[in-house]
Amino acid sequence: MSSTIFAFPGSEKLARGVSEALGIALGTLALHRFPDGESLVRIETPVAGQRTALVCTLRDPDTRILPLLFAARQLRDAGAASVGLVAPYLAYMRQDQRFHAGEALTSVEFANLISTRFDWLVTVDPHLHRFARLEELYRIPATALHCGEVLAGYVAGLERPLLVGPDSESEQWVGAVARQIGAPHVVLAKVRHGDRDVRIAIPDMAPYRDRAPVLVDDIISSGHTMLTALRGWPAGGPRPLCLGIHAVFAADAYEELLAARPCGIVTTNSIPHPSNAIDLTGLIAAELRHRLG
Ligand code: R5P
């Protein structure tokens, strides 16, 4: 059975890389936005009897989700044998409980929507916190790839790194990378009071003065987690490098972060961004080989 990969706008480069790595055809999907804001989706490549995958990173999910569901429906209507979703960045994972009365449980409802339209889901390091596994949310086979080894490969190339997690949730990424390369790690204590109101307690860093700090987080969104850590970083030692898996960078977060004088800002290409320096093509292609190859 043959396979075809389709790219949503914003995911073309990664989709092309994966299709080349696997020798699988890249189909043509055209999107048009009408003046009233509605979307037209057109699948221009025949898919009858084929396994298909849509690659769509889910930054700005509200603008993408409807066209994505339309595209999945059209692939099925055109006779595709299966329709999978590759979302290198999976949105709507952080509202994993009702933090205040009356709030919608969006992680669950978003997963419901995706599960009704796709046969499987592949993503990279989704924000799993109160739900431990994707299967607790998604009713389809859902694979969370972990880029720890890829990150470790990058960090191992740095001189005497000290891995720093900005909050307890980051322990999973930071601890794994630190163990792989035999470097020390420290996890800070963060309390969030609002979207852009974050407090972080930084312990005494004097024992690590000779180390190059690398702040590692899964998502850089408003940037205020990284920003607060950078602003409170003790003077006298090297400035931290900010390493984020998912380069969401809302509004002017990137520029604000640069102004706080990090040693650098580095992200993976799960979301295209000028800070991308860590390539996930191989990681994703290896998983898709099983599903499409
Ligand atoms: C927290 O739950 C996440 O792991 C990240 O720390 C958070 O999403 C970063 O968001 P922001 O850049 O808005 O501080």
Side-chain angles (χ1 to χ4, degrees), residues 4 20 24 37 45 49 73 87 177 189 191 209 228 236 242 256 261 267 286 292:
T4 305
E20 284 171 6
I24 291 177
T45 308
R73 177 78 250 173
V177 172
V191 181
R209 277 270 161 78
T228 307
C242 295
E256 260 193 286
R261 299 183 305 103
T267 59
L292 300 174

Side-chain angles (χ1 to χ4, degrees), residues 18-271:
V18 170
S19 89
E20 284 171 6
L22 297 176
I24 291 177
L26 195 59
T28 307
L29 176 157
L31 273 190
H32 173 71
R33 180 78 58 163
F34 290 111
D36 60 3
E38 292 186 3
S39 294
L40 175 71
V41 178
R42 197 169 56 242
I43 304 285
E44 297 180 345
T45 308
V47 292
Q50 294 188 28
R51 291 177 292 215
T52 64
L54 282 163
V55 183
C56 181
T57 202
L58 286 167
R59 188 192 188 277
D60 286 327
D62 293 10
T63 62
R64 295 182 201 274
I65 187 67
L66 266 181
L68 187 60
L69 298 178
F70 294 149
R73 177 78 250 173
Q74 176 52 26
L75 285 171
R76 248 179 245 292
D77 288 351
S82 61
V83 183
L85 172 62
V86 182
Y89 168 64
L90 183 60
Y92 280 113
M93 288 297 291
R94 281 172 290 178
Q95 184 78 17
D96 56 2
Q97 73 170 30
R98 293 189 167 87
F99 297 97
H100 303 101
E103 287 177 351
L105 197 50
T106 52
S107 56
V108 171
E109 190 48 23
F110 190 77
N112 278 338
L113 264 179
I114 297 289
S115 300
T116 59
R117 290 296 193 283
F118 290 91
D119 296 305
W120 50 264
L121 165 71
V122 170
T123 186
V124 179
D125 283 304
H127 188 85
L128 290 167
H129 184 203
R130 274 157 279 258
F131 291 101
R133 296 164 64 247
L134 278 178
E135 288 80 355
E136 294 171 34
L137 286 163
Y138 285 80
R139 289 180 278 108
I140 51 177
T143 304
L145 301 173
H146 297 291
C147 64
E149 268 187 35
V150 188
L151 298 189
Y154 180 86
V155 178
L158 305 174
E159 193 82 5
R160 293 181 64 72
L162 164 71
L163 281 296
V164 183
D167 53 30
S168 57
E169 291 152 61
S170 62
E171 163 74 34
Q172 50 186 309
W173 302 282
V174 173
V177 172
R179 278 188 292 279
Q180 278 183 57
I181 63 169
H185 78 282
V186 173
V187 174
L188 313 181
K190 175 175 100 176
V191 181
R192 184 181 285 278
H193 296 279
D195 289 345
R196 290 180 165 74
D197 183 1
V198 174
R199 316 276 163 88
I200 294 181
I202 302 181
D204 180 19
M205 286 290 165
Y208 302 108
R209 277 270 161 78
D210 61 335
R211 293 258 167 193
V214 184
L215 281 161
V216 183
D217 207 355
D218 60 337
I219 301 169
I220 308 179
S221 178
S222 73
H224 276 252
T225 298
M226 290 289 190
L227 206 52
T228 307
L230 281 176
R231 284 176 178 159
W233 199 259
R239 297 287 291 159
L241 171 78
C242 295
L243 196 167
I245 299 175
H246 303 297
V248 171
F249 290 114
D252 55 0
Y254 184 56
E255 290 68 25
E256 260 193 286
L257 213 49
L258 284 174
R261 299 183 305 103
C263 160
I265 304 175
V266 168
T267 59
T268 78
N269 57 349
S270 72
I271 298 171

Side-chain angles (χ1 to χ4, degrees), residues 7 10-18 281:
S11 299
E12 295 93 339
K13 200 168 162 205
L14 194 58
R16 195 177 321 113
V18 170
T281 306

